[in-house]
Amino acid sequence: QVQLVESGGGLVQAGGSLRLSCAASGTIFGIYTMGWYRQAPGKERDLVATIEHDGSLNYVDPAKGRFTISRDNAKNTVYLQMQSLKPEDTAVYYCTADVITTALDLRIRKYWGQGTQVTVSS
């Protein structure tokens, strides 16, 4: 019913920048929280940042000061601008969206993107 498609990953040198995008489509009545997680090889999936529909932000270390999350509500899209990238930022990055699909069912469901690889070389 709802699909999240990420783009913008790739290979970058340490100190470089990347901008990830994630567009939600399908049966969408409203989207509340949107966010980004990441999972490095052999590690758990960790929260990076979230943004509410009203623009309220939440960052988790080590994203603070280097990453910026934003969203375009008209496009159902969330972005993650990453600067001063480090090799330890290498991971698969996943976007999420908390979605109400119809006014007839106001349950909020979390959807995940398929992930996009970010590799930072030293």
Side-chain angles (χ1 to χ4, degrees):
Q1 285 186 323
V2 177
Q3 299 81 39
L4 301 182
V5 179
E6 297 126 334
S7 60
L11 174 64
V12 64
Q13 289 187 333
S17 301
L18 281 175
R19 187 190 193 213
L20 306 182
S21 301
C22 173
S25 63
T27 305
I28 297 173
F29 177 72
I31 301 178
Y32 287 85
T33 307
M34 302 187 82
W36 291 93
Y37 288 71
R38 69 184 186 184
Q39 186 168 20
K43 296 188 177 181
E44 295 184 350
R45 190 172 299 186
D46 293 325
L47 176 65
V48 175
T50 61
I51 182 168
E52 304 299 328
H53 187 271
D54 65 1
S56 300
L57 305 175
N58 176 52
Y59 293 98
V60 177
D61 289 336
K64 292 181 180 179
R66 298 189 299 123
F67 295 0
T68 302
I69 189 172
S70 61
R71 66 190 281 175
D72 184 333
N73 290 331
K75 296 181 179 179
N76 290 334
T77 299
V78 63
Y79 306 95
L80 186 67
Q81 178 69 46
M82 303 185 292
Q83 298 178 321
S84 303
L85 284 162
K86 305 174 182 179
E88 50 264 43
D89 294 318
T90 295
V92 178
Y93 285 71
Y94 298 89
C95 69
T96 66
D98 295 343
V99 180
I100 295 177
T101 57
T102 171
L104 301 178
D105 180 358
L106 297 181
R107 287 176 293 180
I108 300 173
R109 296 177 173 87
K110 182 181 288 293
Y111 292 88
W112 291 80
Q114 80 286 355
T116 185
Q117 177 70 46
V118 171
T119 302
V120 184
S121 63
S122 57

